[in-house]
Amino acid sequence: MAITLLITDRNLVVQGDPLTGWSSLDVTLKFNEPAAGSVSLPAWPEVMAQLQPGNRMVVIRDGGIWCAGPMEVPTDYSWDIEGSSGVGEVTVNFSDDLATIAGHITWPNPATTWDLQLGDTWAVFDTVNAETIIRTLVDQNAGPSALAARQIPNLVLDTVAGAGTTTSLRTRFEPVLDACRLAAASGGGIGFRTRQDGNQIKFGCYTPADKTATARFSTGLGNLRSIAYSRSAPTSTHALVAGTETEGSSVRTFVEVADAAAAAEWWRVEAYVDGGAENNDTGELTAAGTANIADGAAPVSLATVTVDTDQLQAGRDYHLGDRVAVALPHGLQVTDVVRAITLHATPGEGEQVASVIGSQDATTDPQVVRLIRTLGRRLGRLETRGTPHVP
């Protein structure tokens, strides 16, 4: 096991020596969501001096950065007379740099100050590539093109990946990552992430890969410790999308988006979706329905505890969002998306890597449940959107 823990300030400057003496480390990386991490260590003065508001935790595994981002709870301190360390213990909860972007909302006109925003305007993307939408939202609301007061230090856009298909999006006053997830889901199921590269935090998109032929887990391969598997009915096979009402008119646009294959296999499940647009001229209502279908199509719930081997390792051979294969002991092979990857490590027991494959709600064990923070996956139209004013 080769794990190094560093603390940096918000400008990515290392604040001191690597943290030592830690007793337990857990880091859960999540697909299109901020990570959740926790580490416990003795509260030595040189450690406490680094655990300051605004600082970041950097977890380096085998020479590469596994996770890097802000400390959300820098000092959860405890001491008791029977403790093994006279200075007590401190637990640090941290995330990755997506968490700082998650603290921003979409402004209708990000080029002007808040007091000059108009209530009847929107940030509108009509038939635009999903990657372009996501990069623009982050750039204008938190990145280099944002107002100076809203810019996240050292955040830049990564190289264009050419990911995704065209989709449409209309947003205002909603969390930036919620809008990004909607564009990602309706625009080809792409991924987005941050990564620390030198003195920069790079935000970019990527196309998850089909690794079912090479990333396989089974008892025979020796890389599968435990598995929990279930199949459930979809929560939506037919998205019934309603456009917003036009003031002074009884005409309203309705669009139906269907997953015929899922309905044939299971049964018809209808879901009402507020489309957030008056018409479907640019496909915005269709995009809202597509996102609803994608969000509700979770027939497979698969939670695994995997073991890294020389032949197959998380972060090297497969990544978040990739499609992998799991051979169940009774012969069935399941393929689905890697939703989360958790690294658990202690000095005595070494590392354990747990991958959550399939359902976004699947978990691996109670410890992971405590770590995972649900950030509100609002892929449909949000209540904050209201009805645009029509002059």
Side-chain angles (χ1 to χ4, degrees):
M1 176 177 64
I3 292 179
T4 302
L5 304 180
L6 296 174
I7 302 294
T8 77
D9 64 12
R10 67 186 63 204
N11 291 313
L12 280 61
V13 177
V14 176
Q15 296 299 286
D17 294 333
L19 302 181
T20 60
W22 53 272
S23 58
S24 179
L25 171 69
D26 291 276
V27 186
T28 298
L29 307 178
K30 293 179 278 187
F31 183 53
N32 289 355
E33 292 189 52
S38 175
V39 62
S40 297
L41 65 163
W44 294 320
E46 60 270 24
V47 170
M48 300 300 289
Q50 297 186 54
L51 304 181
Q52 300 300 321
N55 282 355
R56 302 166 63 256
M57 178 73 70
V58 181
V59 179
I60 301 173
R61 183 192 184 209
D62 295 331
I65 296 179
W66 179 264
C67 179
M71 297 184 295
E72 297 176 309
V73 183
T75 51
D76 185 357
Y77 174 78
S78 63
W79 175 89
D80 66 79
I81 197 169
E82 297 179 355
S84 59
S85 174
V87 296
E89 183 180 73
V90 62
T91 298
V92 181
N93 294 322
F94 57 92
S95 184
D96 62 13
D97 289 305
L98 277 181
T100 56
I101 299 174
H104 292 236
I105 66 173
T106 58
W107 289 17
N109 187 354
T112 63
T113 57
W114 179 252
D115 58 306
L116 297 179
Q117 300 297 311
L118 299 176
D120 59 352
T121 58
W122 302 69
V124 178
F125 302 88
D126 287 339
T127 317
V128 180
N129 173 263
E131 179 182 12
T132 300
I133 295 175
I134 294 169
R135 289 170 60 91
T136 302
L137 287 172
V138 172
D139 181 33
Q140 294 183 348
N141 290 283
S145 297
L147 297 177
R150 304 184 71 203
Q151 292 179 12
I152 296 174
N154 304 291
L155 178 65
V156 299
L157 295 181
D158 210 337
T159 304
V160 175
T165 59
T166 58
T167 186
S168 297
L169 179 76
R170 178 180 299 199
T171 178
R172 63 173 181 178
F173 310 141
E174 65 178 300
V176 169
L177 291 191
D178 283 351
C180 289
R181 280 190 286 270
L182 176 57
S186 62
I190 65 176
F192 55 83
R193 60 195 170 196
T194 56
R195 64 185 182 94
Q196 180 176 328
D197 183 12
N199 62 352
Q200 293 181 319
I201 299 169
K202 294 185 176 181
F203 174 89
C205 298
Y206 65 99
T207 302
D210 185 348
K211 297 290 186 69
T212 54
T214 58
R216 300 183 67 254
F217 300 92
S218 71
T219 56
L221 292 173
N223 58 11
L224 188 61
R225 238 176 226 179
S226 67
I227 185 169
Y229 167 78
S230 67
R231 296 195 71 191
S232 59
T235 59
S236 174
T237 64
H238 289 71
L240 308 179
V241 188
T244 57
E245 297 184 30
T246 302
E247 188 174 342
S249 173
S250 61
V251 177
R252 194 175 183 184
T253 302
F254 295 93
V255 172
E256 179 177 333
V257 180
D259 185 343
E265 184 178 12
W266 294 90
W267 51 80
R268 182 184 178 100
V269 183
E270 297 180 343
Y272 175 82
V273 179
D274 180 3
E278 290 183 0
N279 55 59
N280 199 37
D281 291 349
T282 61
E284 189 170 348
L285 301 185
T286 298
T290 301
N292 177 269
I293 293 292
D295 192 33
V300 174
S301 176
L302 180 66
T304 66
V305 176
T306 63
V307 182
D308 271 5
T309 65
D310 291 339
Q311 292 74 35
L312 185 62
Q313 294 185 13
R316 187 193 71 183
D317 303 306
Y318 67 94
H319 304 271
L320 290 172
D322 288 350
R323 182 169 290 273
V324 299
V326 178
L328 307 185
H330 55 71
L332 178 66
Q333 177 170 290
V334 179
T335 66
D336 217 311
V337 172
V338 178
R339 298 288 179 184
I341 301 173
T342 294
L343 169 66
H344 171 71
T346 63
E349 299 177 359
E351 299 179 1
Q352 176 179 296
V353 176
S355 298
V356 177
I357 302 166
S359 170
Q360 298 187 56
D361 298 324
T363 54
T364 54
D365 56 41
Q367 191 168 27
V368 175
V369 176
R370 291 194 297 270
L371 287 174
I372 292 180
R373 298 175 302 109
T374 303
L375 296 182
R377 297 162 43 250
R378 291 176 294 176
L379 297 180
R381 293 299 175 183
L382 305 179
E383 65 277 5
T384 57
R385 297 185 171 188
T387 302
H389 171 69
V390 178

